[in-house]
Amino acid sequence: MSEVITKHNAAPKVGFVSLGCAKALTDSELILTQLSAEGYQTSNTFEGADLVIVNTCGFIDDAVKESLDTIGEALAANGKVIVTGCLGAKAGEGGGNLVRQMHPSVLAVTGPQATQEVMDAVHANLPKPHDPFIDLVPNAFGVAGIKLTPRHYAYIKISEGCNHRCTFCIIPSMRGDLVSRPIGDVLKEARALFEGGVKELLVISQDTSAYGVDVKYITGFWDGRPIKTRMLELVQALGDMAEAYGAWVRLHYVYPYPSVDEVIPLMATGKVLPYLDVPMQHSHPDVLKRMKRPASGEKNLERIQRWREICPEIVVRSTFIAGFPGETEEEFSHLLDFMREAKIDRAGCFAYSAVPGAVANDIPGMLPLELREERRARFMAVAEAVSAAKLQQRVGATMQVLVDSAPALGKKGGIGRSYADAPEIDGIVKLLPPEKISKTLKVGEFTKARIVGTQGHDLVAQPY
């Protein structure tokens, strides 16, 4: 995802580009909140800014290239660039900083979650004008600060870092070990978002299931009462809070630990959306062992089946890697069989990418790129067939849809999402023009709609 952010009012101008995942987006929101709190303005062009901040991604080769290209574009157009984010923590040849090697003229380079370091660099190159209270910042959500998403949904990050050492991943080397946010701070931010009109709260982290492990599930406080710093208690509290505002809570990056089973009944009763984003990566035990993943494929299949017994409406989305070093045709076929049996509702797949610094690069049996891409294509063909069949089962059903777009109050239709669709990564619901002339659609509000058909990954629905 990539955005150049715009705000108004006279003040020193900072251009801002946010690249990468939702976790990077929340880092960008913190920086933008602080910029606005100190009176800076943001520019929608590089040329119109006094300096530019680029929040980078450095996870896979394509993301590294996009980040380096964006830095180059900002330097060419503006000349004064501060770099932050995951790529900022990445080493180049000989152990030096990769960004500085490729773009030596940048003003400063920091790693991820470095709001204060970024602000120090801004202050050094563009002195701050003033420092009003955050609550007075236009378009902010009080203590929750500025959000870069549409106003009706927002991400909330509950922890930083990760304790796993998956062999294909370098994120712990950039973001460090798990550090859980105090549960009272998370709930305070959530309340500010709901009070500000957010109708969908998306919970993110590197490992949502592990929330509180680092602090041994210490008891925190919220609204004067004790509450344990643990995923179950957090989700219960968020569900209760969301219910009061008629809002959704959606869980992302949930590892399939046994403790997750406790959350499924909350989905069955409607406290939180019956939706889990579970990064499984593969199904074959030997591949998962080479990946150093925390669960085997057989346990994953059993767990998903148990979840569906408790909550038949649950939607499971996941990501997988095809062509991991040493992957045999038999192991890959096991993955395809798993997809067919597990019936993953929404699945994405990457061909293995040899990320510099990843332990997996040294595993024997690196496959040719052509074979990795061919397996990715085969996987996606199976995944799309599974998804299409599951979508077809929804035809005739009535669903609640959150409206994301509704030109002319939806008189010509609109676009929304059901509980099964996270923004940007899943499908959409294409809303037809309402049959009743009095019916209108409004962005950020819910509407009931009858599913009348499917189009690829999307549903087509008649609002009423």
Side-chain angles (χ1 to χ4, degrees):
M1 103 185 27
S2 169
E3 327 190 13
V4 177
I5 316 305
T6 311
K7 279 180 60 62
H8 305 286
N9 293 330
K13 292 184 177 181
V14 178
F16 202 108
V17 181
S18 184
L19 304 170
C21 66
K23 291 175 284 296
L25 188 73
T26 60
D27 289 345
S28 296
E29 292 169 342
L30 288 173
I31 296 168
L32 275 170
T33 297
Q34 191 61 36
L35 285 169
S36 289
E38 295 184 6
Y40 291 94
Q41 185 181 15
T42 50
S43 170
N44 65 341
T45 65
F46 294 148
E47 296 85 350
D50 296 299
L51 63 78
V52 175
I53 299 172
V54 180
N55 191 1
T56 60
C57 179
F59 185 44
I60 60 175
D61 290 347
D62 287 347
V64 171
K65 183 179 184 303
E66 181 187 23
S67 293
L68 290 173
D69 287 349
T70 302
I71 295 167
E73 291 169 11
L75 283 169
N78 184 283
K80 299 177 70 175
V81 177
I82 295 169
V83 176
T84 187
C86 287
L87 186 63
K90 201 176 183 75
E93 293 184 9
N97 182 271
L98 175 62
V99 172
R100 287 217 176 268
Q101 288 178 356
M102 300 300 294
H103 295 294
S105 62
V106 296
L107 299 175
V109 180
T110 81
Q113 64 219 55
T115 301
Q116 190 55 54
E117 293 175 60
V118 172
M119 293 306 302
D120 289 345
V122 172
H123 296 156
N125 293 279
L126 189 63
K128 62 181 180 179
H130 58 88
D131 189 11
F133 294 107
I134 288 177
D135 282 347
L136 300 181
V137 176
N139 300 320
F141 288 85
V143 296
I146 290 172
K147 295 297 173 183
L148 305 183
T149 49
R151 197 165 181 86
H152 62 284
Y153 69 83
Y155 297 96
I156 187 166
K157 185 159 52 174
I158 63 171
S159 65
E160 287 286 0
C162 182
N163 288 342
H164 297 301
R165 294 296 182 266
C166 302
T167 57
F168 57 82
C169 183
I170 60 172
I171 287 176
S173 69
M174 295 186 286
R175 289 188 173 262
D177 290 335
L178 176 73
V179 179
S180 299
R181 290 180 62 192
I183 192 166
D185 290 356
V186 174
L187 293 172
K188 184 187 297 183
E189 180 179 346
R191 174 183 282 172
L193 291 169
F194 287 134
E195 288 180 347
V198 163
K199 290 299 181 183
E200 179 180 14
L201 190 67
L202 300 105
V203 178
I204 60 169
S205 66
Q206 289 299 138
D207 181 358
T208 296
S209 316
Y211 178 66
V213 167
D214 56 312
V215 294
K216 298 182 172 57
Y217 306 121
I218 188 172
T219 298
F221 288 89
W222 167 244
D223 271 359
R225 62 182 177 84
I227 180 170
K228 188 175 289 188
T229 307
R230 193 172 64 166
M231 180 188 179
L232 176 61
E233 282 78 4
L234 175 63
V235 173
Q236 285 175 324
L238 289 174
D240 289 341
M241 193 185 300
E243 188 174 31
Y245 292 92
W248 285 349
V249 174
R250 188 184 300 276
L251 305 180
H252 285 280
Y253 312 115
V254 179
Y255 280 73
Y257 305 142
S259 59
V260 177
D261 296 350
E262 299 175 307
V263 175
I264 308 303
L266 299 178
M267 297 180 174
T269 58
K271 280 290 184 184
V272 295
L273 292 183
Y275 176 104
L276 277 182
D277 177 2
V278 185
M280 295 178 188
Q281 309 303 357
H282 212 280
S283 65
H284 196 283
D286 292 343
V287 178
L288 290 166
K289 186 175 181 180
R290 294 198 294 276
M291 290 179 169
K292 289 194 175 178
R293 296 295 285 172
S296 73
E298 285 79 3
K299 288 182 180 177
N300 285 346
L301 184 58
E302 293 170 2
R303 184 150 285 121
I304 291 170
Q305 291 170 340
R306 198 155 56 243
W307 292 346
R308 287 180 173 146
E309 289 172 1
I310 299 169
C311 181
E313 291 299 310
I314 193 169
V315 163
V316 178
R317 99 163 317 274
S318 190
T319 51
F320 297 87
I321 297 174
F324 190 76
E327 182 188 63
T328 65
E329 181 63 33
E330 179 186 359
E331 290 168 342
F332 178 67
S333 295
H334 186 281
L335 175 58
L336 298 184
D337 290 341
F338 172 84
M339 270 300 301
R340 296 185 184 101
E341 188 170 358
K343 292 183 173 58
I344 302 299
D345 300 80
R346 302 286 196 184
C349 183
F350 298 94
Y352 177 75
S353 176
V355 178
V359 174
N361 298 336
D362 298 324
I363 295 175
M366 181 69 73
L367 303 181
L369 178 59
E370 295 79 7
L371 180 56
R372 286 180 260 156
E373 291 290 351
E374 184 265 345
R375 286 184 178 173
R376 186 199 70 81
R378 286 167 59 194
F379 175 93
M380 288 308 301
V382 172
E384 288 167 6
V386 170
S387 179
K390 299 206 78 169
L391 287 177
Q392 192 62 40
Q393 294 173 3
R394 295 194 181 277
V395 175
T398 296
M399 302 187 76
Q400 186 182 45
V401 176
L402 181 59
V403 179
D404 287 331
S405 174
L409 293 178
K411 292 301 183 183
K412 295 183 179 180
I415 294 173
R417 290 175 294 105
S418 74
Y419 80 89
D421 309 304
E424 299 189 356
I425 57 174
D426 293 324
I428 60 173
V429 179
K430 297 180 179 179
L431 295 167
L432 299 172
E435 292 178 339
K436 292 183 179 179
I437 194 168
S438 59
K439 173 69 176 179
T440 60
L441 303 176
K442 187 175 179 180
V443 171
E445 293 188 355
F446 293 102
T447 185
K448 291 285 187 181
R450 185 178 68 259
I451 309 303
V452 297
T454 66
Q455 288 183 3
H457 294 285
D458 306 325
L459 296 172
V460 180
Q462 179 70 65
Y464 66 89

